[in-house]
Amino acid sequence: MRFTRIAPGAIVVAVTALTWVWPAVPAEETVSFTDVTAASGVTFRHFTGAYGKKYLPETMGSGVCVLDFDNDGRQDLLFVSGKAWPGQPGGPKTSLTLYRNLGGGRFKDVTEAAGLTRQLYGMGCAVGDYDNDGFVDIYVTGLGSALLFKNNGNGTFTDVTARAGVADLGWSTSAAWVDYDRDGHLDLFVGHYVTWSRDTDIWCTLDGKNKSYCTPEPYVGESNRLFHNNGNGTFTEVSGKAGVANARGKTLGVAVYPTAEGWPNLVVANDTQPNYLYVNKKNGTFADDGVQAGIAFDENGKARGAMGLDLADFDGSGKLGLVIGNFSHEMTSFYVQEHENFFFDWSGPSRVGPAGLLLVKFGLFFFDYNLDGLEDVFIVNGHVEDEIQKIQPEVSHAQAPLLFLNLGKEGFREVAAKTGAALTRKFVGRGAAYADLDGDGDLDIVATSNGGPAILFRNDAGNRNHVLRMTLLRGPRAGDGIGARAVVQTKAGRRMKWVKSGSSYLSQSELPLTFGLARDTTPVSAEILWPSGKRETLTGLQPNYAYTVREGRGVVAQSKIQR
């Protein structure tokens, strides 16, 4: 993060010729988003613990994870919060907060009943079925501690952090479950930020007189961690052995993407340090190819203040787009995969990069909000310094989100204001995730704000187009298909997605896959590559249905989506 002034017009963009064939999209945008937070029953509010000392962690906010913890087919929500600093009286009693989806757009706080009433200075979360018992478990990152909760399968969770060996002291941020060695057990990658304590907090100033929040630059980074799943409920820390130990990182975001053969690679977004691309060597180790891949620095060879990130096959070509949110006066990075481990910078021509130049871009993701088959982009924004306007009048603390409509060969267009008043509201955005929260087939949005309330944005009319949803389950019992890749063949072409953990900022979106079919009503086929290496082909999948697919067994459940 930097408080750097850049003169208007100072950005130079190299334009690379594009050769893709893009499907046509509707010229008129009719989807709207509605703030339904109050009606939903979600009352979570994040707490920073701030009391005037301007401690660095107070700027970071926290994330949200979408999970179906009770396997009822409805997507539930887990929020992470900070807490009061030791010795400081007052303030709310904070905790992890779990909301069960009751259907009909309503949620119920079930934190206490679930055994998750735990207080920590939390940051992010990641969900995955690490013990292959059919129920997703929860990992929570934070300042000074991290927690692993085993899902007991009866609506409750048990803290197994010590038993599992994943306490992970330090300042952990974003995490992702990933079966990096493809042995059938989910491993855990945990990003770390900087070494910080109240005793070592550095005095920084914007105006030369008063203390302000520091950037991470004067602090020493902490190494990321990789925990190998031993298959018996315990983990072994293998960061050094696996080649991902690097104290320079200052990591805030992590995303996973599969190679053509299904091996998972890791992309790591670092704040004021070069970004990493950890290429899987298929022998239990990784090599950082971030510089060679073209994602480590900007066009001037300078590291940026990177926060959230995501990848997707955004144009149906099979080549991935990588979007990374950066600090104010730095463009949002938009890279396009030239080949498996090399990306070229398309930030300027995409029109995603320049649109948020004055914003601090945190949680973000690709999602097809209008179900036309092309992946759009959503970004939440908010500055880290609450008094930034005193020295940069053009920049505000609270900032409105950005929504980019994928126009095919024309790139993207920012359309937030065209979707109604909800997305024009300014807040100090941090975490963000997508899910079909109301079961109507289109994708809704949940976001967190630093020191403020969570916000639910309902997608209205996204389902005017047709849709196919797939829940992928590994093996005979496992409760998620993290790492599984599905390619759906439609009249308009192929669409490729994979089941993700991580991505965005401190958050995780839903595990089911949503394929927009535009106006196509004909049955489609799908080819699935499982993390085990097995391939499976499905035919005759009907539009506007949700399918559950079990590895080796094909479709085990299906239901018509009520649109």
Side-chain angles (χ1 to χ4, degrees), residues 391-423:
I391 63 164
Q392 295 185 16
E394 74 279 14
V395 179
S396 62
H397 184 216
Q399 299 171 348
L402 297 170
L403 178 65
F404 293 93
L405 174 66
N406 190 333
L407 299 175
K409 64 182 180 181
E410 299 177 20
F412 291 78
R413 182 173 71 235
E414 207 288 309
V415 296
K418 296 181 181 296
T419 64
L423 295 190

Side-chain angles (χ1 to χ4, degrees), residues 94-365:
T94 60
S95 171
L96 299 174
T97 306
L98 177 65
Y99 287 93
R100 182 172 183 263
N101 190 333
L102 303 177
R106 295 286 300 171
F107 291 81
K108 179 182 179 181
D109 186 340
V110 295
T111 310
E112 185 174 358
L116 292 176
T117 307
R118 292 294 299 275
Q119 190 176 55
L120 76 161
Y121 204 101
M123 289 284 150
C125 52
V127 298
D129 183 11
Y130 78 90
D131 54 0
N132 289 344
D133 67 351
F135 294 89
V136 291
D137 310 294
I138 297 170
Y139 190 73
V140 180
T141 63
L143 179 65
S145 63
L147 299 171
L148 176 61
F149 294 96
K150 172 182 165 50
N151 190 330
N152 299 318
N154 59 1
T156 69
F157 292 81
T158 299
D159 182 348
V160 296
T161 311
R163 184 197 321 165
V166 291
D168 197 20
L169 304 181
W171 188 347
S172 51
T173 53
S174 289
W177 294 99
V178 52
D179 184 3
Y180 74 93
D181 54 359
R182 300 177 77 178
D183 65 353
H185 302 287
L186 289 178
D187 312 299
L188 180 63
F189 181 90
V190 185
H192 275 249
Y193 197 42
V194 299
T195 299
W196 179 92
S197 71
R198 288 198 292 170
D199 293 337
T200 60
D201 187 70
I202 297 172
W203 195 89
C204 296
T205 182
L206 291 174
D207 59 11
K209 299 177 183 179
N210 303 298
K211 189 177 190 298
S212 65
Y213 288 111
C214 270
T215 76
E217 291 174 291
Y219 292 95
V220 176
E222 283 189 348
S223 177
N224 296 323
R225 312 281 168 77
L226 180 63
F227 295 94
H228 178 260
N229 189 332
N230 299 321
N232 60 2
T234 69
F235 293 78
T236 300
E237 201 264 307
V238 295
S239 311
K241 179 181 177 182
V244 299
N246 191 329
R248 294 184 298 109
K250 304 182 183 179
T251 293
L252 290 180
V254 59
V256 183
Y257 74 92
T259 65
E261 298 173 320
W263 289 91
N265 289 344
L266 302 171
V267 184
V268 176
N270 293 315
D271 191 356
T272 71
Q273 294 294 318
N275 299 321
Y276 303 148
L277 172 58
Y278 285 124
V279 174
N280 196 321
K281 295 302 182 181
K282 309 174 189 177
N283 61 1
T285 69
F286 294 85
D288 176 21
D289 282 0
V291 174
Q292 298 92 318
I295 69 167
F297 304 100
D298 68 10
E299 69 277 6
N300 298 313
K302 186 177 181 182
R304 287 152 291 197
M307 272 75 78
L309 76 166
D310 195 18
L311 298 102
D313 177 11
F314 71 103
D315 66 340
S317 69
K319 301 291 182 69
L320 303 182
L322 165 62
V323 61
I324 304 176
N326 297 313
F327 201 70
S328 177
H329 298 295
E330 297 174 339
M331 283 203 297
T332 302
S333 300
F334 197 120
Y335 298 101
V336 176
Q337 190 179 39
E338 184 73 17
H339 55 75
E340 195 154 83
N341 299 324
F342 179 76
F343 294 76
F344 68 84
D345 192 337
W346 197 48
S347 305
S350 71
R351 292 186 285 186
V352 172
L357 190 60
L358 296 181
L359 307 177
V360 181
K361 287 77 70 177
F362 277 92
L364 53 78
F365 47 77

Side-chain angles (χ1 to χ4, degrees), residues 325 359-365 378-382 399-402 423 427-433 445-448 457 504-505:
L359 307 177
V360 181
K361 287 77 70 177
F362 277 92
L364 53 78
F365 47 77
F378 179 76
I379 308 176
V380 294
N381 313 287
Q399 299 171 348
L402 297 170
L423 295 190
F427 59 98
V428 187
R430 291 296 185 262
I445 298 169
V446 56
T448 66
F457 298 106
S504 191
Y505 172 76

Side-chain angles (χ1 to χ4, degrees), residues 16-34:
T16 303
L18 303 180
T19 58
W20 309 313
V21 177
W22 302 70
V25 298
E28 187 175 352
E29 178 56 39
T30 59
V31 177
S32 62
F33 285 90
T34 303

Side-chain angles (χ1 to χ4, degrees), residues 4-11 329 357:
T4 305
R5 289 182 182 274
I6 297 180
I11 296 172
H329 298 295
L357 190 60

